[in-house]
Amino acid sequence: MYISVGDAALKFGISKRRVQTLCEQGRIEGATMVSGVWLIPEDAPKPSDARKKQVDENQLSLFDVSSKILTVDDVCRILSISKATAKNWIRLGKITPDVNGLFFSGEYIEKVVAEIRSENSTKLKSRRNKKSAMGKILYKDYVRNESNQRLVSDLLELKVFEYETDLLIVLANFAVQLYYQSHGIEYFDNYVLHSFLLEAHRDDFHILVKDLIGNYNLKASQIKKLLPALTKEITFVKGEDTLGFIYISLHDIGQRKSSGIYYTPEKIVGEMIERLYENDLQLNLRTICDPCCGTGNFLLSLGKKGIDYSNIYGQDVDPTSVCLARINIALMAPNLTVADLRNRIIIGNTFFETFERKFDVILGNPPWGSDFTPEEAERCRKVFKTAVGKNIESYDVFVEKTLDMLLPGGVLSFVLPEAILGVAAHEAVRRLILDCCSFKFISYLGNAFTGVQCPAIILGITKDYEKNVAGCRVSVNNERFTISQPRNFSDGAFAFNVSDEEYECLNTISHIENAVYLKENAKFALGIVTGNNKEFISDEKQDDNEVVLKGSDIYRYGFTPSDNYIRFEPEAFQQVAPAELYRAKEKLLYRFICEVPVFAYDDKQTLSLNSCNILIPEIEGLEMKYILAILNSSVAAYYISKKFNSVKLLRSHIEQMPIPMVSKEVQTAVIKKTDRIMSSSQNIIGLYEDLDKDIMALYGLDEEQGKVIGNALKNKSLFLGI
């Protein structure tokens, strides 16, 4: 009797990727590959780990450490938390070192893991970083058909899926239903898998279904348990990845996020293919590859647009996804043989092994933030220029790898985090793109993925050495324009979310004479991180507490009275800046989260929480209130929002804002108007607009450029506290 890679992973307490690696290394006794899928003897012993013993954080499995003594670092790896979080949990009693008060026993941490896995636990699941979140989720935006959406919702409610084989059997049954529906074959019982496998006439589709479930024998007890799922009906929709919809919705979310997998909504898939067609009218004649194809939603959509499936290729590291992708394409292109599908849709880690041929078009949604084993990380650093820094970013490496898979003149189009355009950590991949590519199109998508707070883009680039940006088609905020002028990316960031007119405004601001910067000329501090606001924050004033400000209390030039109070006990907080920064004679406070920069002046030594951060400018010759006016201006709002396109106001954003170095007389005039705004309760907008004109003049912006900036900010709040 054989079991699948997934069941072996559960049996051994390790990840599926590790089981595959052990099979490939010949270290699992009796393991054999059948039709591209590894099968493991049910009684095969778990091989000893030849690597340095480590915890597989992908599954929160202890990997044979139950009898070991664990350090704080070990616990951090097991729970996928930072060391600061672990220390805070220890201080708050959420976890307790049970060995000499310094270390943890494996048995104790196993109980913590079990608690995290339980449905009633809020640990980790409520954290902003949900890489270790457990459970399942309905990705309703993955398909449009409401009947199939209801089907998956019902399957989630059944809770009959204990093992991976349970899910594979149900998927195989639905695959047969789709086969019958697409071929016009009647069936009278929704549980069709058993009779289908027993049919005397066996075609290629039989082989694909067997690839999915392997040599697993259907057990009467298992079928009885799964009958509530097996008796449901799926609806065939041409070109829709309903099987993938079921798989991703029922697959554990923790495993998906640790491998960097974020499945792409149907709307985004459609938009990418439309953008490709706009830029390549001969797309149907090209060879096209999705090197991270998953269950094949991009490939299906290509076929739905009329592209010949014989020109389409795909690869994925997950064997189940590849089996489903082959089945999906077989339903759309029955003329393709099993051999065709196995040669075109392959299992493998694209980072290290892929097709020998090169392609005209590569598209897809590469893995984001996937975890590399130490061996993989070392191998990446030897092979890829983009494998730099302490943490290797998988999508940077994927872009580099797939550019090498393109033919000259070929097009690469990926769904990527917007951070790749400007964040310093991705400078290596931006330099690589600049060295060998021209830009064809880019769509700004915002937060495109269910449950993921990470703005995304669709990026389209051509592998050539012309290095053009002119002609690039941009879609942002429901507006479209084409860049017609060359752009300078000497600062290392890509600014595509601006039209030519807006770009000229950015250039004017960037190139003012006598500009000075806050970088290395200021002190920055995070507001207080209590670790538990319910414990430390009160809504009642007492003798031993004082006002503490949140970001929502801050407006331009001032803040509203707060009804939040705190006892300042730095030693009790999770994270706190030096007291002298909170108690500075004067300082600026600013919202960390906001669509435009919002700064307030404070000379009362007021405390603030981490949604309200601290800036103390130290530019010789410039007054703090003058800098306040600059940072609160429309010029700063325009520059920072267009250059960084983020609702988070980072220190690096503020540091890069050019500030005009002006005389004392000019500063005095600006500060006089600033004081009037701070002390007035009427006509604040008029006072602000009057000061704003003065600041635009300091940057050399003319009336037309002022209109461009005003138009760009017209839907954003002024945050003047009125």
Side-chain angles (χ1 to χ4, degrees):
M1 183 72 67
Y2 290 92
I3 59 177
S4 69
V5 167
D7 285 340
L10 289 173
K11 174 184 174 182
F12 296 154
I14 59 178
S15 70
K16 289 168 61 177
R17 179 185 291 184
R18 185 63 184 153
V19 173
Q20 279 186 252
T21 300
L22 292 171
C23 289
E24 292 166 358
Q25 294 173 347
R27 296 181 52 215
I28 297 183
E29 186 177 343
T32 182
M33 179 175 280
V34 177
S35 301
V37 177
W38 283 105
L39 300 175
I40 294 102
E42 193 172 41
D43 58 353
K46 176 183 175 181
S48 59
D49 192 6
R51 308 172 301 166
K52 178 182 177 181
K53 288 289 183 180
Q54 62 181 26
V55 176
D56 184 355
E57 61 267 35
N58 291 356
Q59 299 191 65
L60 289 180
S61 165
L62 293 185
F63 198 52
D64 288 345
V65 297
S66 59
S67 62
K68 286 192 171 186
I69 303 301
L70 305 175
T71 65
V72 171
D73 288 338
D74 293 330
V75 172
C76 290
R77 288 195 299 271
I78 295 168
L79 302 182
S80 289
I81 59 177
S82 68
K83 200 164 184 178
T85 298
K87 289 180 178 179
N88 187 50
W89 281 17
I90 293 170
R91 182 177 59 78
L92 296 174
K94 293 183 179 181
I95 56 175
T96 304
D98 62 328
V99 179
N100 300 327
L102 298 172
F103 304 101
F104 301 84
S105 66
E107 291 81 3
Y108 173 75
I109 297 300
E110 278 186 334
K111 292 178 182 178
V112 174
V113 170
E115 180 187 349
I116 291 170
R117 283 187 177 274
S118 73
E119 292 185 2
N120 296 326
S121 172
T122 60
K123 282 183 180 177
L124 289 178
K125 298 176 186 178
S126 62
R127 289 165 49 222
R128 187 173 297 275
N129 174 14
K130 293 190 172 61
K131 178 176 272 193
S132 296
M134 296 294 148
K136 299 167 178 62
I137 188 169
L138 180 64
Y139 287 87
K140 290 184 69 174
D141 54 358
Y142 190 75
V143 300
R144 290 187 180 183
N145 184 270
E146 293 182 0
S147 174
N148 287 331
Q149 290 180 354
R150 287 194 297 272
L151 167 65
V152 177
S153 180
D154 291 344
L155 291 173
L156 285 169
E157 293 296 322
L158 292 177
K159 299 181 180 179
V160 296
F161 300 97
E162 296 180 75
Y163 305 104
E164 183 166 340
T165 51
D166 295 337
L167 180 55
L168 296 182
I169 288 169
V170 171
L171 284 167
N173 189 66
F174 285 134
V176 176
Q177 287 185 26
L178 293 174
Y179 175 77
Y180 286 159
Q181 291 177 31
S182 64
H183 285 70
I185 301 172
E186 287 189 278
Y187 58 96
F188 304 98
D189 184 345
N190 286 337
Y191 174 41
V192 292
L193 178 61
H194 184 70
S195 59
F196 177 80
L197 293 176
L198 293 177
E199 286 180 8
H201 172 69
R202 296 172 181 268
D203 60 11
D204 280 3
F205 202 79
H206 278 85
I207 299 173
L208 295 175
V209 172
K210 288 292 290 182
D211 281 352
L212 179 63
I213 61 175
N215 290 329
Y216 188 80
N217 294 320
L218 303 181
K219 300 176 183 177
S221 59
Q222 189 176 25
I223 298 304
K224 181 179 179 181
K225 178 188 72 172
L226 295 174
L227 272 179
L230 293 169
T231 52
K232 294 192 176 296
E233 186 171 34
I234 197 171
T235 301
F236 176 71
V237 180
K238 188 176 181 180
E240 184 173 274
D241 181 19
T242 313
L243 293 174
F245 179 45
I246 295 170
Y247 181 54
I248 66 175
S249 296
L250 293 172
H251 202 44
D252 189 270
I253 191 173
Q255 293 183 28
R256 291 197 301 274
K257 291 193 174 183
S258 64
S259 59
I261 300 171
Y262 295 95
Y263 290 94
T264 317
E266 182 270 346
K267 181 179 179 181
I268 295 175
V269 175
E271 179 169 349
M272 178 185 288
I273 293 171
E274 288 297 328
R275 301 307 295 271
L276 283 167
Y277 262 100
E278 288 175 3
N279 287 274
D280 188 349
L281 298 179
Q282 300 298 314
L283 191 64
N284 59 326
L285 302 178
R286 310 297 191 194
T287 55
I288 304 175
C289 177
D290 181 350
C292 42
C293 66
T295 52
N297 58 339
F298 280 94
L299 305 181
L300 286 175
S301 293
L302 287 167
K304 192 165 61 173
K305 289 287 288 186
I307 293 177
D308 189 340
Y309 278 107
S310 63
N311 290 332
I312 291 175
Y313 297 76
Q315 178 174 359
D316 202 90
V317 72
D318 178 32
T320 299
S321 292
V322 170
C323 288
L324 292 174
R326 291 170 180 167
I327 287 172
N328 275 329
I329 293 176
L331 292 169
M332 293 283 286
N335 57 306
L336 291 179
T337 67
V338 167
D340 291 332
L341 291 167
R342 287 177 178 167
N343 288 331
R344 286 174 170 80
I345 314 298
I346 64 173
I347 302 168
N349 186 335
T350 305
F351 290 118
F352 305 121
E353 62 269 342
T354 188
F355 298 96
E356 292 185 4
R357 66 168 302 155
K358 295 185 184 291
F359 301 94
D360 296 303
V361 178
I362 291 177
L363 82 172
N365 179 10
W368 301 10
S370 54
D371 294 328
F372 292 96
T373 66
E375 295 87 349
E376 289 171 336
E378 182 180 357
R379 189 174 177 185
C380 281
R381 294 187 194 282
K382 291 179 179 178
V383 176
F384 299 110
K385 297 176 182 178
T386 55
V388 294
K390 181 179 179 182
N391 298 313
I392 299 174
E393 178 47 67
S394 51
Y395 59 80
D396 288 349
V397 176
F398 219 88
V399 168
E400 181 177 354
K401 174 65 177 184
T402 50
L403 281 173
D404 187 56
M405 294 168 61
L406 274 178
L407 290 165
V411 176
L412 174 67
S413 182
F414 275 161
V415 181
L416 296 163
E418 190 178 310
I420 198 172
L421 299 179
V423 173
H426 308 296
E427 184 174 359
V429 74
R430 291 196 296 273
R431 293 298 178 193
L432 179 72
I433 291 171
L434 283 176
D435 283 345
C436 64
C437 297
S438 291
F439 297 92
K440 304 302 291 183
F441 56 85
I442 180 170
S443 295
Y444 289 80
L445 305 174
N447 292 321
F449 296 92
T450 302
V452 181
Q453 296 299 311
C454 180
I457 59 169
I458 296 173
L459 179 65
I461 53 180
T462 298
K463 184 178 180 180
D464 61 31
Y465 291 94
E466 296 180 9
K467 306 178 185 180
N468 286 332
V469 67
C472 181
R473 301 182 183 185
V474 181
S475 173
V476 56
N477 298 329
N478 297 318
E479 296 182 7
R480 286 197 174 193
F481 57 84
T482 300
I483 296 172
S484 61
Q485 300 295 326
R487 297 203 173 175
N488 183 358
F489 300 127
S490 59
D491 63 355
F494 293 167
F496 293 108
N497 61 321
V498 291
S499 65
D500 289 340
E501 295 79 11
E502 291 173 331
Y503 184 72
E504 282 303 313
C505 289
L506 283 178
N507 260 345
T508 299
I509 297 168
S510 298
H511 293 93
I512 60 169
E513 294 183 4
N514 300 319
V516 291
Y517 299 86
L518 288 164
K519 187 174 183 179
E520 300 180 357
N521 290 304
K523 292 177 181 175
F524 288 84
L526 187 69
I528 297 167
V529 181
T530 66
N532 187 341
N533 281 356
K534 289 183 179 179
E535 177 182 345
F536 290 103
I537 306 299
S538 171
D539 59 3
E540 295 182 2
K541 179 70 179 82
Q542 298 172 357
D543 292 339
D544 60 347
N545 65 14
E546 59 186 295
V547 166
V548 63
L549 298 173
K550 296 181 178 180
S552 56
D553 298 323
I554 303 299
Y555 289 85
R556 280 176 169 164
Y557 297 105
F559 43 85
T560 58
S562 175
D563 57 0
N564 295 300
Y565 302 91
I566 192 171
R567 288 190 299 275
F568 189 56
E569 302 172 332
E571 67 282 354
F573 303 142
Q574 179 176 327
Q575 190 172 342
V576 64
E580 60 266 24
L581 297 181
Y582 300 109
R583 304 307 191 187
K585 182 179 178 181
E586 58 175 353
K587 64 180 183 289
L588 301 183
L589 299 170
Y590 64 94
R591 292 191 183 205
F592 175 55
I593 304 291
C594 199
E595 61 179 354
V596 294
V598 176
F599 285 80
Y601 176 80
D602 174 55
D603 59 358
K604 306 298 183 185
Q605 296 79 55
T606 313
L607 298 175
S608 64
L609 296 176
N610 61 312
S611 57
C612 175
N613 295 332
I614 297 169
L615 165 63
I616 303 177
E618 295 179 334
I619 299 176
E620 187 175 352
L622 293 187
E623 298 289 335
M624 187 175 293
K625 285 185 180 179
Y626 167 74
I627 294 174
L628 168 68
I630 296 296
L631 295 177
N632 273 338
S633 68
S634 294
V635 176
Y638 176 80
Y639 186 84
I640 290 174
S641 65
K642 289 297 182 180
K643 192 170 180 66
F644 304 108
N645 201 34
S646 172
V647 295
K648 294 180 180 179
L649 184 57
L650 304 182
R651 171 177 177 170
S652 59
H653 300 167
I654 301 169
E655 288 180 331
Q656 293 181 59
M657 179 67 205
I659 299 173
M661 187 60 147
V662 297
S663 67
K664 287 287 185 181
E665 291 76 15
V666 172
Q667 290 184 64
T668 299
V670 169
I671 292 170
K672 184 177 180 179
K673 292 186 177 183
T674 298
D675 285 335
R676 286 183 64 192
I677 295 174
M678 292 170 60
S679 61
S680 298
S681 59
Q682 296 180 342
N683 193 31
I684 298 179
I685 291 180
L687 295 172
Y688 177 82
E689 290 176 345
D690 179 52
L691 175 56
D692 217 38
K693 290 179 181 178
D694 293 346
I695 293 174
M696 284 197 181
L698 295 179
Y699 282 91
L701 295 160
D702 60 30
E703 186 175 346
E704 287 303 312
Q705 289 175 317
K707 290 179 181 178
V708 170
I709 291 175
N711 187 60
L713 299 175
K714 65 183 178 181
N715 294 321
K716 299 183 185 295
S717 172
L718 290 176
F719 289 95
L720 289 173
I722 57 174

